[in-house]
């Protein structure tokens, strides 16, 4: 697939005509973004942390963003979900984990990072409902060693979680816990867009970007391993077995269940309906 040909852009296209799109950079989202990164002219990809991507969408800096799923529930903006695509886990993910120093049943403090709100709410749901635990939560910088020095346990997400497992085997895989608890997948991220600006071409390009990424899994993992403490085989294992990207009926049910618990425990003030972009 020639991604520029599909996008209707030229390799020497100028930045002036590009539409800004926000997403975070991590191994688990890399296949979704690969086509956007390799194409020219259609979009200007802004890489930021997940919480900041939601803020950029809310404030109108971008018309399209890959956002934490909880921000869709908490957001008051007029957002539509891009159909068919998401970041989801059914069972163990290896990338959303609670690391701890001692017995997880005796947690008094848990270190968090403000940039991963969906995973933070997932952790709080599971601690409340599965472990009947109400520890104190402390926001710290996202350094694994410092987090575990400051608290009894630490929530780590994405590349931080994947890398830290090599040195600390004491952890709970939270998406595995969620699946055991509900029998449903956990949807971590959604492509969302401004309802007045999101269009068919955007949706087609996001789908094409992911299709291109699927074809290039080996290249994605080889490039990722060069700059991260993970072997190519470990990266391939994560992308082929621990994460997937379809937003079908089961994923939607998992998302709704997650929103119900978030509302029940007071993390949101309503249970949102899922509003998808639809072709006119």
């Amino acid at each position: 697939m020639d991604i520029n040909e599909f996008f209707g852009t030229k390799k020497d296209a100028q930045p002036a005509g590009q539409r800004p799109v926000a997403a975070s950079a991590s191994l688990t989202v890399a296949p979704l973004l690969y086509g956007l990164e390799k194409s020219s002219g259609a979009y200007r990809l802004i890489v930021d942390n997940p919480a900041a991507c939601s803020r950029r969408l809310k404030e109108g800096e971008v018309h399209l963003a890959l956002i934490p799923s909880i921000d869709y529930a908490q957001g008051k903006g007029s957002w539509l979900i891009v159909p068919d695509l998401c970041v989801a886990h059914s069972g163990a993910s290896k990338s959303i984990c609670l690391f701890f120093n001692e017995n997880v049943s005796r947690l008094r403090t848990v270190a968090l990072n403000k940039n991963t709100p969906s995973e933070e709410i997932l952790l709080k749901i599971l601690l409340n409902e599965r472990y009947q635990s109400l520890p104190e939560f402390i926001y710290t910088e996202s350094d694994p060693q410092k987090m575990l020095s400051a608290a009894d346990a630490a929530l780590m997400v994405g590349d931080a979680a994947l890398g830290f497992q090599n040195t600390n085997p004491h952890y709970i895989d939270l998406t595995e816990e969620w699946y055991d608890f509900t029998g449903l997948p956990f949807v971590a991220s959604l492509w969302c867009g401004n309802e007045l600006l999101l269009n068919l071409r955007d949706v087609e390009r996001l789908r094409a970007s992911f299709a291109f990424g699927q074809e290039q899994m080996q290249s994605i993992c080889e490039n990722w391993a060069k700059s991260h403490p993970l072997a190519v085989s470990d990266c391939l294992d994560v992308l082929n077995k621990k994460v997937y990207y379809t937003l079908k009926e089961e994923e939607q049910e998992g998302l709704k269940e997650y929103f119900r618990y978030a509302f029940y425990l007071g993390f949101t003030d309503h249970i949102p309906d899922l509003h998808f972009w639809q072709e006119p």
Side-chain angles (χ1 to χ4, degrees), residues 26-52:
S26 70
L27 176 62
T28 54
V29 305
L32 289 174
L33 306 181
Y34 198 71
L36 299 181
E37 293 173 334
K38 297 301 180 181
S39 67
S40 302
Y43 298 106
R44 176 169 57 89
L45 182 61
I46 299 171
V47 176
D48 211 331
N49 67 68

Side-chain angles (χ1 to χ4, degrees), residues 131-228:
Y131 291 91
Q132 291 74 52
S133 176
L134 296 173
E136 177 186 359
F137 295 100
I138 304 169
Y139 290 102
T140 70
E141 57 183 293
S142 55
D143 179 282
Q145 297 291 354
K146 291 181 179 179
M147 293 175 83
L148 282 176
S149 296
D152 298 325
L155 172 64
M156 298 182 200
V157 176
D159 299 333
L162 292 169
F164 199 57
Q165 289 167 28
N166 295 328
T167 58
N168 189 325
H170 305 297
Y171 67 90
I172 296 171
D173 192 306
L174 296 181
T175 58
E176 185 174 33
E177 288 284 305
W178 172 258
Y179 188 81
D180 289 345
F181 180 48
T182 65
L184 293 166
F186 173 68
V187 177
S189 303
L190 299 165
W191 274 119
C192 289
N194 183 299
E195 66 176 356
L196 299 178
L197 299 175
L198 185 62
N199 58 45
L200 175 61
R201 198 63 171 143
D202 292 325
V203 174
E204 289 178 336
R205 284 169 171 167
L206 292 180
R207 289 171 177 166
S209 176
F210 173 57
F212 190 64
Q214 282 186 303
E215 293 178 355
Q216 303 295 325
M217 288 292 200
Q218 183 72 31
S219 295
I220 290 172
C221 292
E222 289 174 356
N223 291 332
W224 205 265
K226 291 177 182 178
S227 56
H228 296 82

Side-chain angles (χ1 to χ4, degrees), residues 215-267:
E215 293 178 355
Q216 303 295 325
M217 288 292 200
Q218 183 72 31
S219 295
I220 290 172
C221 292
E222 289 174 356
N223 291 332
W224 205 265
K226 291 177 182 178
S227 56
H228 296 82
L230 292 170
V232 173
S233 59
D234 292 333
C235 294
L236 284 168
D237 180 68
V238 170
L239 294 188
N240 290 326
K241 299 179 181 179
K242 306 299 183 184
V243 60
Y244 63 104
Y245 303 94
T246 56
L247 185 55
K248 304 300 184 183
E249 183 176 351
E250 188 176 24
E251 291 74 42
Q252 292 177 39
E253 287 304 313
L255 194 57
K256 292 174 183 177
E257 186 76 348
Y258 173 65
F259 289 160
R260 282 192 285 267
Y261 274 104
F263 172 73
Y264 171 71
L265 294 173
F267 301 124

Side-chain angles (χ1 to χ4, degrees), residues 80-86 191 198 203 207 247 276-278:
L80 294 177
I81 301 170
V82 173
D84 303 332
L85 295 175
C86 70
W191 274 119
L198 185 62
V203 174
R207 289 171 177 166
L247 185 55
F276 292 92
W277 177 87
Q278 294 181 328

Side-chain angles (χ1 to χ4, degrees), residues 53-88:
C53 291
S54 296
R55 177 188 57 77
R56 289 178 183 273
L57 182 61
K58 182 178 180 179
E59 295 178 358
E61 293 181 31
V62 300
H63 84 287
L64 185 63
L66 186 65
I67 69 168
S69 56
I70 195 63
D71 284 351
Y72 178 81
Q74 294 173 332
K76 303 299 182 183
S78 299
W79 298 344
L80 294 177
I81 301 170
V82 173
D84 303 332
L85 295 175
C86 70
V87 178

